[in-house]
Amino acid sequence: MEFMKYFKPSTKAVLDNIRYETLKIDIQGLTKMKMNCRDTVLAQLLPGGVKINFNREVKFEPEGPFDLSVTFTTILPFNTEFSDEIDWKTVDIAGEFRRSRHPMLSVMMSRASLLIGEITSASGNNPLITPPGPQNGDA
């Protein structure tokens, strides 16, 4: 499927949600922590388009110094010339959005990475830079 042809170009990705929680940790366990970064893409069918949510979540095993999640959203309006070719209720829109490498996905990933770096450096620590692109999660 040529996923991008079904939508008008979208240039807006907006910050939808930030969740940042500092946690109590065992100082001795710091060297044994594993950081997990998970990307998730969700889609919601709207009249006239789709809403795409991109979420990047950073957690530690065992529980680490913080728990962080950043979500960006974009609306992709349908290109009415082609959109009627598909029954959108039967399509895995989030999956097609990921597989098509839609340019807006890269925009949202990059913004999430930058924001995570800013948040993690706000307390005087080195910024945690999560690379744009698929991590240990769904994207």
Side-chain angles (χ1 to χ4, degrees):
M1 174 190 309
E2 290 182 48
F3 186 73
M4 292 192 304
K5 82 174 188 177
Y6 297 106
F7 302 95
K8 294 177 183 174
S10 177
T11 58
K12 291 188 179 182
V14 296
L15 179 62
D16 187 53
N17 189 45
I18 297 173
R19 183 182 46 77
Y20 180 74
E21 183 179 356
T22 55
L23 306 170
K24 294 181 181 179
I25 59 167
D26 173 16
I27 298 295
Q28 305 216 353
L30 283 176
T31 59
K32 298 176 186 173
M33 269 194 268
K34 176 182 174 188
M35 183 184 77
N36 293 312
C37 183
R38 179 184 171 124
D39 290 347
T40 306
V41 175
L42 299 174
Q44 177 185 1
L45 188 59
L46 303 172
V50 295
K51 177 181 178 181
I52 304 288
N53 285 337
F54 171 79
N55 176 266
R56 178 161 289 169
E57 182 178 40
V58 180
K59 287 188 167 199
F60 293 88
E61 288 180 31
E63 191 172 80
F66 62 86
D67 196 1
L68 174 60
S69 173
V70 174
T71 304
F72 280 89
T73 299
T74 190
I75 304 290
L76 300 176
F78 285 130
N79 178 346
T80 54
E81 183 179 345
F82 299 109
S83 64
D84 291 340
E85 296 175 0
I86 293 179
D87 178 5
W88 290 99
K89 293 177 183 170
T90 64
V91 174
D92 175 12
I93 298 170
E96 291 297 329
F97 185 74
R98 286 188 305 264
R99 282 187 287 282
S100 72
R101 304 263 188 228
H102 194 286
M104 190 51 68
L105 182 59
S106 293
V107 168
M108 292 190 291
M109 287 178 165
S110 296
R111 289 184 184 177
S113 293
L114 288 170
L115 192 51
I116 288 170
E118 288 291 324
I119 292 168
T120 56
S121 69
S123 62
N125 295 319
N126 290 329
L128 173 64
I129 306 298
T130 57
Q135 304 296 308
N136 298 331
D138 300 330

